[in-house]
Amino acid sequence: MVLAGTLQAQVVVTATIGNPPPWGPADGAGVRFYYIPDIQAYYDVTDANYVYMSGGRWIHSSNLPHKYRNYDLYGGQKVALRDYHGEKPYENYKDHQRNYPKGYHRGQTQKTFGEKPGEHNDGKHGRN
């Protein structure tokens, strides 16, 4: 008796997410992109790049735009984009602007992966 079997192939897709920056939101583990409402920019954890609009184009850079060079990434709110799994989070920019406006959750402490240099990460040091 010959048994007919079914050959099944299993495909495993592995996405590599880089190491989050120390200022990244502690609840953002495994997320590729953060949206930073106050500066209307994104951070790509995998590529360690900021993504922001300049001159009508989306720019990918290892540095923030010059006008935000003094922005406190530890103190500002970051939104971990859990429902987005593509390469261009700015495709949803209008939704992100509407759902997370500038000043989003201002005054609320957001725990980060690491400590701001010179501070403790216990929420008692005035970070927003």
Side-chain angles (χ1 to χ4, degrees), residues 8-126:
Q8 294 181 352
Q10 183 177 14
V11 177
V12 177
V13 177
T14 305
T16 303
I17 304 294
N19 290 326
W23 53 261
D27 66 348
V31 172
R32 178 170 178 183
F33 291 101
Y34 309 142
Y35 178 63
I36 309 169
D38 288 342
I39 59 175
Q40 298 180 328
Y42 298 91
Y43 183 77
D44 182 340
V45 175
T46 300
D47 293 339
N49 276 324
Y50 300 93
V51 183
Y52 54 87
M53 178 68 72
S54 179
R57 300 181 35 217
W58 286 100
I59 305 297
H60 296 252
S61 174
S62 59
N63 297 304
L64 285 171
H66 186 72
K67 68 182 178 180
Y68 294 117
R69 69 188 176 279
N70 294 321
Y71 180 76
D72 179 10
L73 289 163
Y74 285 90
Q77 289 293 317
K78 286 78 59 181
V79 178
L81 300 179
R82 298 186 187 295
D83 295 335
Y84 182 77
H85 302 287
E87 298 288 321
K88 301 175 182 175
Y90 45 84
E91 291 175 332
N92 300 320
Y93 180 61
K94 295 268 187 222
D95 291 335
H96 295 147
Q97 275 187 304
R98 184 178 58 253
N99 294 333
Y100 314 108
K102 287 184 179 182
Y104 175 74
H105 283 229
R106 185 164 286 139
Q108 293 184 14
T109 300
Q110 184 178 43
K111 190 170 181 182
T112 57
F113 278 108
E115 293 182 7
K116 184 174 182 177
E119 293 190 11
H120 299 287
N121 200 14
D122 60 7
K124 297 179 183 175
H125 295 278

